[in-house]
Amino acid sequence: MGHRQRGTLRLAIVLFSLLILAYAIALIGWRGGYGLVVAVCLIAAVSWVADGYKQPGPIGRARQIRTKRLTLRRAVLGDVPAMHAILSDAETLRYWDSPPHQSIEQTETWIAHLLDADDDNSDEFIVLRDGEVIGWLGAKHYPWITYMFARHVWDQGYATEALSAFTGYMFERGLNLQCAVTDAANARSLALLHRLGFEEYQRGPLTHEALGVEIESVSLVLYPPGGGPVANQPAL
């Protein structure tokens, strides 16, 4: 049972108990020592509510996240072949900041970096569909998130499903905003981020490290639910 489910059950029990106590007061009045006993019980019940019925605080790092169709889990060395197929595909890496991998050793090094990442400043997952590795996503440096999915699963809603779960998880971890940057020409990525609720806050020239050319970058930000539009938020 989750934190919110337990809290809801606890509140229901407390409210029922308070109704019983109120009924007892109506029956016995404040005669003798009964009134004092009932008052002490009421104070204890209210204190219990204040102590126990709280919104859960930030959660720790999850080993995995499950959605309707996907599993997001931590990288393992066995992911090298599947991720190499993705990282060596030129079309998949068309807008990426580094060229496609030319050797399996490059992907081994890439996975090693995931395994050795700083837990205090990053949070990354491999994405699986029915046990098949189809992508990777995460925050390499808070609060910036990024993602990559195999070309054969594009346009099937997997990226939206995975990123939606991940951004929700990161807000539960306590982040007060999440950011992403993409090439203005990457219409598919921009559409994905807008579906997730990201809002553009900046455009500007950026040198594409892999191609050595200047592109127009788009920076976007996502605030927690109820955080309001970008215009009402403090500057990044």
Side-chain angles (χ1 to χ4, degrees), residues 29-140:
W30 292 91
R31 295 188 299 271
Y34 291 111
L36 179 60
V37 172
V38 172
V40 170
C41 289
L42 281 169
I43 293 171
V46 172
S47 298
W48 189 59
V49 174
D51 180 64
Y53 188 69
K54 300 175 180 176
Q55 289 292 336
I59 64 173
R61 285 168 58 87
R63 293 182 61 84
Q64 68 176 21
I65 301 170
R66 290 187 178 276
T67 70
K68 183 178 181 180
R69 299 180 294 173
L70 305 171
T71 299
L72 284 59
R73 63 149 172 79
R74 301 301 176 182
V76 296
L77 290 176
D79 294 328
V80 169
M83 284 306 305
H84 180 69
I86 297 173
L87 288 162
S88 61
D89 181 63
E91 180 61 21
T92 299
L93 272 69
R94 180 179 178 185
Y95 298 104
W96 200 245
D97 61 358
S98 59
H101 286 193
Q102 299 299 312
S103 69
I104 195 73
E105 288 77 19
Q106 284 181 275
T107 308
E108 288 173 350
T109 300
W110 189 86
I111 289 289
H113 287 162
L114 288 189
L115 298 177
D116 295 336
D118 179 6
D119 290 352
D120 293 330
N121 195 42
S122 64
D123 205 337
E124 303 169 73
F125 291 88
I126 299 294
V127 183
L128 296 92
R129 176 192 63 179
D130 298 326
E132 173 196 8
V133 173
I134 63 168
W136 156 85
L137 59 79
K140 296 184 71 68

